[in-house]
């Protein structure tokens, strides 16, 4: 169905109109960041792609312009702590011109807005630095309003100064409650503010462009997104759960790019020369390349130098954690490899339950995302990394360990590859449709599992929450529609749209004739919802656009859009449903339905559900853990309504002590309820403790089902 889409996208983008943008507006006091020609070109291309090929068919007009404008302003200063009311009044002239700007790639207006923000930000941090040595009176009954999103923008510089003086007082009071040494506290806060200034000075035009493009694309729909080159590389690493590099995670500490962790079995680990907290001073490419000093660099820029294609050499100059800045760094040489991120892949565990004196073993498979290594897949490697391949191996192991049932844990799984959602469903059904996809021409394509083999045919449940989205909803919806397993948890996110990941390098920088020649042969072999994979070891030039091109529907005919998947057995949601979910997004598509697919159910839980719900409700009525969950939800709602905090030391200390004592008490109550020993003051929490009450209950529900006699439902593998 999508074979011609990518070629059409190229044609539409290539025909984007041209016009001369307005002149840049200088902003003294900022770093005066300006767009480059590449960003201008990318903006025009994306505007053309969205106008012509987005599923919603939204025209770029003044109405959309105002939405883009409001989103951009909110993104830059959501808490209304930097812009003055006069700034907003000045910016309002751009409300109805941003639609025209994006069509021609005019980024001068949005960069002007950003530069004003940066000027205000630098002013605020410098002002805060000047206030640190004030002698604050912490006995006065004052309060600091930290939540300003719904308040008006401040009108004068004096108002802004007063608010930020309270902010400094609040920061110092927090430090004072931890340590009475105010000289040390002031030095700590000074370093904190100076670090904020340092980070502000490292912002690049790519950061500005990314923020504006987020505002632009999400005004169209929440899931059409542009990724700049570094973000595109990270997106594809998350999709494949693999990267090509040295096998170390990095962060910036006091201006040094520092080793945070080392991946077991990776080049850094195998070298025995790289330690956690080592500081990287410089990076060189190959055996003879010149070293480039990276002290003071942003971590994403450093990563771009250190990652690279497997088999290539990178050299590092390292300072040990305890070495002085003037010490001579040691030089090491590493050969980059493909790194498999095992900790971010599907994992298994076995839980045991008692049912009428009989031990029941439940295997739990936690799936963080629907990932796939598209490069290996397209290259024909039969052992390509994917969710389905990993889960298949885990299922084989669990079957060898004689589990009685399984739980697939999809909580906080935001989705990923549509193909993987289909393939994973196929592990649990014989054959049949899995999902329906409707394109921009209202043509419906039914994606099927045609492999008759079944990896697991026993009892199963799928655990979901509010952050289970997209591919998670396809899988859980199909399992529910087939009657193949129970769905337990809370209502899912409600993302029912399909995105095409477009590598912009393929449609920019070459003559249109060359584009057509290159792509004509590629389109036929392109994966349905993936138009090309970006290397896991390097960055693209122009970035990537994830464009909404279709809407998916369950085989029952209902869309998951807006409504998500409703569990068979419901839990209260720790995640506030009124703040997170597709139905909270102003630009989201509505719910609708189409004709159902032709499919044969594998089972039916209709008659057994009342009994399972009754058993669940009886446990919850006497469950201390359930009571504490409800208390957590109530506490969140209470604190979420707070917008200010006292600046009186005695009041803040009293409130903090009460909160800490309450949290300590509640934590021990929860531990005891789960059969774990209470902790004493100062004790550290043991690692890998089982504190997941919801996961435990999901296993108990499937245990209830296994234990019901006579069976009120059956699962057919025929």
């Amino acid at each position: 169905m999508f074979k011609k889409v990518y070629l059409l996208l190229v044609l539409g983008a290539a025909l984007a109109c041209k016009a001369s943008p307005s002149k840049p507006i200088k902003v003294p006091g900022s770093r005066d960041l300006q767009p480059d020609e590449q960003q201008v070109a990318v903006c025009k291309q994306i505007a053309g792609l969205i106008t012509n090929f987005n599923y919603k068919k939204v025209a770029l007009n003044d109405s959309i312009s105002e939405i883009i404008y409001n989103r951009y302003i909110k993104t830059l200063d959501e808490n209304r702590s930097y812009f003055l009311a006069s700034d907003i009044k000045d910016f309002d002239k751009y409300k109805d011109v941003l639609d025209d700007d994006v069509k021609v790639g005019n980024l001068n207006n949005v960069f002007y807005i950003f530069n004003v923000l940066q000027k205000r930000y630098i002013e605020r941090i410098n002002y805060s630095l000047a206030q640190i040595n004030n002698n604050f009176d912490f006995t006065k009954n004052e309060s600091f309003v930290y939540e300003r999103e719904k308040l008006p923008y401040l009108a004068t510089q004096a108002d802004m100064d007063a608010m930020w003086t309270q902010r400094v007082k609040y920061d110092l009071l927090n430090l004072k409650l931890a340590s009475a040494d105010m000289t040390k506290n002031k030095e700590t806060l000074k370093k904190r503010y100076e670090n904020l200034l340092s980070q502000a000075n490292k912002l690049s035009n790519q950061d500005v462009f990314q923020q504006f493009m987020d505002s632009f694309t999400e005004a169209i729909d929440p899931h059409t997104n542009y990724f700049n080159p570094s973000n595109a590389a990270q997106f594809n690493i998350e999709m494949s759960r693999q990267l090509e590099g040295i096998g170390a995670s990095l962060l910036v500490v006091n201006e040094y790019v520092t080793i945070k962790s080392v991946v077991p079995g990776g080049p850094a680990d195998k070298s025995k020369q790289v330690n956690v907290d080592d500081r990287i001073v410089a990076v060189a490419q190959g055996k003879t390349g010149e070293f480039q000093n990276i002290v003071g660099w942003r971590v994403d820029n450093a990563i771009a130098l250190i990652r690279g294609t497997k088999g290539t050499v990178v050299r590092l100059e390292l300072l040990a954690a305890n070495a002085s800045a003037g010490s001579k760094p040691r030089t090491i040489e590493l050969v980059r490899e493909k790194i498999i991120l095992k900790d971010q892949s599907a994992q298994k565990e076995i839980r045991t339950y008692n049912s009428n004196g009989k031990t029941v073993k439940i295997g739990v498979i936690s799936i963080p995302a629907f990932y796939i290594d598209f490069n290996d897949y397209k290259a024909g490697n039969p052992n390509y990394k994917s969710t389905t391949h990993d889960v298949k191996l885990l299922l084989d192991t669990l079957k060898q360990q004689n589990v009685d049932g399984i739980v697939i844990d999809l909580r906080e799984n935001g989705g990923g590859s549509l193909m993987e959602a289909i393939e994973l469903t196929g592990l649990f059904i014989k054959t049949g449709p899995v999902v329906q996809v409707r394109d921009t021409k209202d043509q419906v394509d039914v994606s099927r599992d045609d492999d008759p083999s079944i990896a697991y045919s026993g009892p199963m449940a799928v655990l979901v929450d509010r952050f289970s989205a997209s591919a998670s909803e396809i899988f859980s919806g199909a399992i529910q529609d087939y009657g193949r397993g129970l769905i337990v948890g809370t209502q899912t996110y409600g993302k029912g749209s399909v995105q095409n990941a477009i590598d912009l390098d393929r449609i920019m920088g070459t003559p249109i004739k060359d584009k057509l020649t290159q792509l004509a042969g590629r389109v036929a072999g392109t994966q349905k919802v993936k138009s090309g994979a970006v290397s896991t070891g390097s960055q693209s030039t122009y970035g990537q656009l994830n464009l909404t091109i279709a809407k998916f529907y369950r085989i029952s005919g209902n869309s998951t859009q807006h409504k998500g998947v409703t569990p068979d057995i419901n839990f209260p949601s720790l995640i506030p449903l009124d703040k997170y979910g597709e139905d909270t997004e102003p630009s989201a598509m509505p719910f609708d339905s189409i004709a159902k697919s032709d499919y044969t159910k594998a089972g039916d839980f209709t008659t057994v559900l009342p009994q399972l719900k009754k058993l669940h409700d009886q446990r919850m009525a006497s469950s201390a853990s359930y009571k504490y969950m409800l208390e957590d939800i109530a506490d969140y709602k209470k604190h979420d309504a707070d917008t200010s905090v006292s600046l009186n030391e005695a009041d803040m200390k009293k409130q903090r002590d009460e909160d800490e004592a309450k949290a300590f008490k509640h934590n021990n109550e929860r531990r005891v309820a789960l059969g774990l020993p209470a902790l004493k003051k100062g004790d550290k929490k043991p690692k890998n403790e089982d504190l997941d009450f919801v996961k435990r209950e999901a296993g108990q529900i499937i245990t209830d089902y296994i234990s019901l006699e006579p069976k009120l439902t059956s699962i057919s593998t025929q």
Side-chain angles (χ1 to χ4, degrees):
M1 179 182 66
F2 299 118
K3 290 182 178 180
K4 296 181 180 179
V5 168
Y6 195 64
L7 188 59
L8 290 172
L9 295 176
V10 174
L11 283 168
L15 297 175
C17 59
K18 297 181 179 180
S20 298
S22 61
K23 292 182 179 180
I25 306 170
K26 299 289 185 181
V27 180
S30 73
R31 291 191 61 230
D32 211 33
L33 296 171
Q34 299 299 333
D36 56 41
E37 291 183 5
Q38 179 172 304
Q39 291 163 347
V40 169
V42 168
C43 184
K44 287 195 293 185
Q45 294 279 23
I46 290 176
L49 292 169
I50 287 176
T51 300
N52 293 298
F53 303 107
N54 185 273
Y55 182 82
K56 287 178 68 177
K57 303 179 179 71
V58 176
L60 295 181
N61 53 29
D62 289 353
S63 176
I64 285 293
S65 181
E66 185 169 352
I67 295 172
I68 297 170
Y69 169 82
N70 289 333
R71 276 184 171 270
Y72 187 48
I73 296 297
K74 183 176 181 179
T75 298
L76 295 180
D77 189 13
E78 184 171 9
N79 207 40
R80 302 191 173 190
S81 299
Y82 300 101
F83 285 138
L84 292 166
S86 57
D87 295 326
I88 300 301
K89 184 176 181 181
D90 173 39
F91 301 153
D92 279 349
K93 60 180 176 282
Y94 302 123
K95 273 188 178 180
D96 60 358
V97 301
L98 292 183
D99 58 320
D100 301 314
D101 284 349
V102 295
K103 291 174 187 176
V104 299
N106 177 19
L107 296 168
N108 292 326
N109 296 330
V110 298
F111 268 74
Y112 166 69
I113 293 173
F114 183 90
N115 287 332
V116 172
L117 171 80
Q118 188 173 57
K119 175 186 178 180
R120 299 299 185 209
Y121 184 89
I122 292 170
E123 288 173 350
R124 291 300 95 214
I125 303 303
N126 280 325
Y127 176 82
S128 299
L129 281 165
Q131 304 308 303
I132 289 177
N133 289 321
N134 288 352
N135 292 318
F136 291 104
D137 182 357
F138 295 111
T139 65
K140 294 175 66 176
N141 291 322
E142 295 180 320
S143 62
F144 170 56
V145 179
Y146 58 83
E147 177 57 71
R148 294 190 43 82
E149 183 179 353
K150 296 180 180 178
L151 295 178
Y153 289 96
L154 293 172
T156 67
Q157 196 72 43
D159 292 337
M160 190 70 78
D161 287 349
M163 189 267 286
W164 277 88
T165 298
Q166 287 189 319
R167 167 68 182 269
V168 175
K169 185 176 181 179
Y170 170 72
D171 287 343
L172 274 174
L173 181 53
N174 271 289
L175 292 169
K176 189 173 188 292
L177 291 178
S179 169
D181 188 343
M182 284 303 289
T183 300
K184 184 178 179 181
N185 291 340
K186 289 180 178 182
E187 186 60 32
T188 297
L189 191 57
K190 180 183 177 183
K191 288 181 179 178
R192 184 190 301 174
Y193 289 162
E194 287 174 342
N195 184 59
L196 292 175
L197 275 180
S198 174
Q199 295 304 311
N201 287 326
K202 291 175 184 176
L203 291 173
S204 69
N205 65 356
Q206 282 280 32
D207 298 301
V208 187
F209 187 57
Q210 181 68 70
Q211 280 197 293
F212 174 68
M213 293 307 289
D214 286 344
S215 302
F216 167 34
T217 58
E218 290 172 17
I220 307 301
D221 83 80
H223 308 293
T224 288
N225 301 113
Y226 168 73
F227 298 104
N228 67 24
S230 62
N231 290 338
Q234 186 59 37
F235 174 85
N236 286 283
I237 286 169
E238 292 172 2
M239 277 293 293
S240 66
R241 289 306 193 259
Q242 296 184 153
L243 59 87
E244 293 174 358
I246 65 170
S249 62
L250 310 174
L251 77 165
V252 173
V253 179
N254 295 328
E255 299 296 301
Y256 283 95
V257 176
T258 305
I259 304 292
K260 180 182 178 183
S261 64
V262 176
V263 178
D269 179 46
K270 289 189 292 189
S271 74
K272 307 300 181 185
Q273 301 179 77
V274 179
N275 304 305
V276 172
D277 294 330
D278 278 352
R279 293 165 290 171
I280 305 175
V281 177
V283 181
Q285 307 300 324
K287 292 180 176 293
T288 60
E290 184 177 347
F291 273 100
Q292 187 166 3
N293 189 287
I294 63 168
V295 176
W297 278 34
R298 288 167 39 141
V299 69
D300 53 340
N301 293 334
I303 287 172
L305 279 186
I306 296 168
R307 282 184 190 152
T309 307
K310 65 179 180 180
T312 59
V313 171
V314 61
R315 288 177 294 134
L316 307 177
E317 286 186 351
L318 300 177
L319 276 179
N322 58 358
S324 67
S327 300
K328 182 180 179 180
R330 68 184 188 276
T331 301
I332 69 167
E333 180 180 300
L334 300 172
V335 178
R336 298 176 177 107
E337 296 178 7
K338 179 173 284 189
I339 309 297
I340 297 176
L341 304 176
K342 294 181 180 179
D343 290 344
Q344 299 176 32
S345 303
Q347 307 279 339
K348 72 169 178 65
E349 61 180 300
I350 293 179
R351 293 170 177 260
T352 57
Y353 297 83
N354 185 285
S355 178
N356 298 321
K358 177 185 175 184
T359 298
V360 177
K361 294 167 67 176
I362 302 297
V364 180
I365 298 178
S366 300
I367 304 176
F370 287 79
Y371 50 86
I372 181 173
D373 184 343
F374 273 102
N375 287 345
D376 270 9
Y377 169 77
K378 290 174 68 177
N381 180 355
N383 298 314
Y384 63 89
K385 174 80 172 175
S386 77
T387 296
T388 305
H389 282 183
D390 288 351
V391 171
K392 173 72 164 58
L393 292 173
L394 297 177
L395 286 170
D396 289 344
T397 303
L398 290 172
K399 287 192 295 185
Q400 291 172 7
Q401 294 173 309
N402 298 314
V403 296
D404 299 292
I406 64 165
V407 172
I408 301 293
D409 188 353
L410 296 181
R411 289 175 298 171
E412 298 190 27
N413 182 325
S417 167
L418 173 61
M419 184 180 84
E420 281 305 298
I422 298 164
E423 295 284 327
L424 186 69
T425 304
L427 296 182
F428 303 99
I429 65 172
K430 189 172 183 181
T431 58
V434 174
V435 64
Q436 304 184 86
V437 182
R438 184 167 68 179
D439 65 13
T440 55
K441 296 181 179 179
D442 292 331
Q443 295 179 334
V444 177
D445 178 66
V446 180
S447 295
R448 300 176 50 88
D449 166 49
D450 292 320
D451 184 352
S453 63
I454 297 174
Y456 178 77
S457 59
M460 68 180 289
V462 181
L463 179 56
V464 295
D465 68 5
R466 188 59 161 175
F467 288 152
S468 303
S470 195
S472 290
E473 295 172 299
I474 292 173
F475 174 79
S476 56
I479 294 298
Q480 188 176 57
D481 289 338
Y482 272 105
R484 177 60 189 86
L486 290 161
I487 311 300
V488 299
T490 58
Q491 179 189 13
T492 60
Y493 193 87
K495 178 186 178 295
S497 57
V498 181
Q499 284 69 47
N500 194 345
I502 303 168
D503 179 1
L504 294 176
D505 283 16
R506 294 193 173 195
I507 62 173
M508 298 184 68
T510 57
I512 183 64
K513 183 177 179 180
D514 291 346
K515 295 174 193 172
L516 296 176
T517 301
Q518 293 167 3
L519 290 168
R522 293 177 183 166
V523 172
T526 297
Q527 191 57 33
K528 281 187 177 179
V529 189
K530 182 72 178 180
S531 56
V534 177
S535 168
T536 55
S538 60
Q539 292 186 8
S540 61
T541 300
Y542 297 103
Q544 176 175 308
L545 176 67
N546 284 9
L547 181 68
T548 299
I549 60 166
K551 194 173 183 180
F552 65 75
Y553 297 80
R554 293 168 60 160
I555 54 176
S556 63
N558 288 329
S559 171
T560 60
Q561 180 65 21
H562 245 256
K563 294 187 177 182
V565 175
T566 301
D568 299 308
I569 297 179
N570 217 356
F571 283 83
S573 180
L574 288 166
I575 303 164
L577 302 183
D578 61 337
K579 289 183 177 293
Y580 303 98
E582 193 80 0
D583 54 2
T584 69
E585 293 284 352
S587 60
M589 293 184 288
F591 168 86
D592 63 348
S593 60
I594 60 175
K596 64 176 290 187
S597 295
D598 183 15
Y599 66 98
T600 302
K601 296 190 72 169
D604 190 345
F605 293 94
T606 303
T607 54
V608 78
L609 269 176
Q611 180 69 5
L612 293 175
K613 287 179 179 178
K614 180 180 178 182
L615 292 171
H616 167 70
D617 290 342
Q618 288 173 345
R619 276 192 303 274
M620 296 305 97
S622 60
S623 168
S625 293
Y626 186 75
K627 182 186 76 170
Y628 298 142
M629 175 189 285
L630 296 180
E631 288 179 359
D632 287 341
I633 294 171
D635 283 347
Y636 173 85
K637 290 180 178 179
K638 178 183 175 182
H639 289 300
D640 189 52
D642 294 339
T643 60
S644 64
V645 63
S646 174
L647 294 178
N648 179 287
E649 181 177 2
D651 289 346
M652 181 183 275
K653 185 177 188 307
K654 179 184 177 183
Q655 184 64 54
R656 183 165 296 184
D657 289 346
E658 289 176 355
D659 289 344
E660 288 179 356
K662 181 179 178 181
F664 184 77
K665 178 175 177 287
H666 283 191
N667 181 61
N668 272 336
E669 288 173 343
R670 287 159 176 73
R671 294 176 61 82
V672 172
L674 291 170
L676 298 169
L679 297 175
K680 296 178 181 179
K681 283 283 187 181
D683 287 352
K684 290 185 177 180
K685 293 180 181 180
K687 293 183 178 179
N688 302 321
E689 276 192 329
D690 181 9
L691 299 175
D692 194 337
F693 158 69
V694 174
K695 189 188 290 185
R696 284 190 178 194
E697 178 60 16
Q700 183 63 61
I701 290 170
I702 199 67
T703 298
D704 289 344
Y705 170 74
I706 293 168
S707 304
L708 285 178
E709 293 291 348
K711 286 289 188 294
L712 299 178
T713 185
S714 63
I715 296 171
S716 171
T717 60
Q718 298 303 312

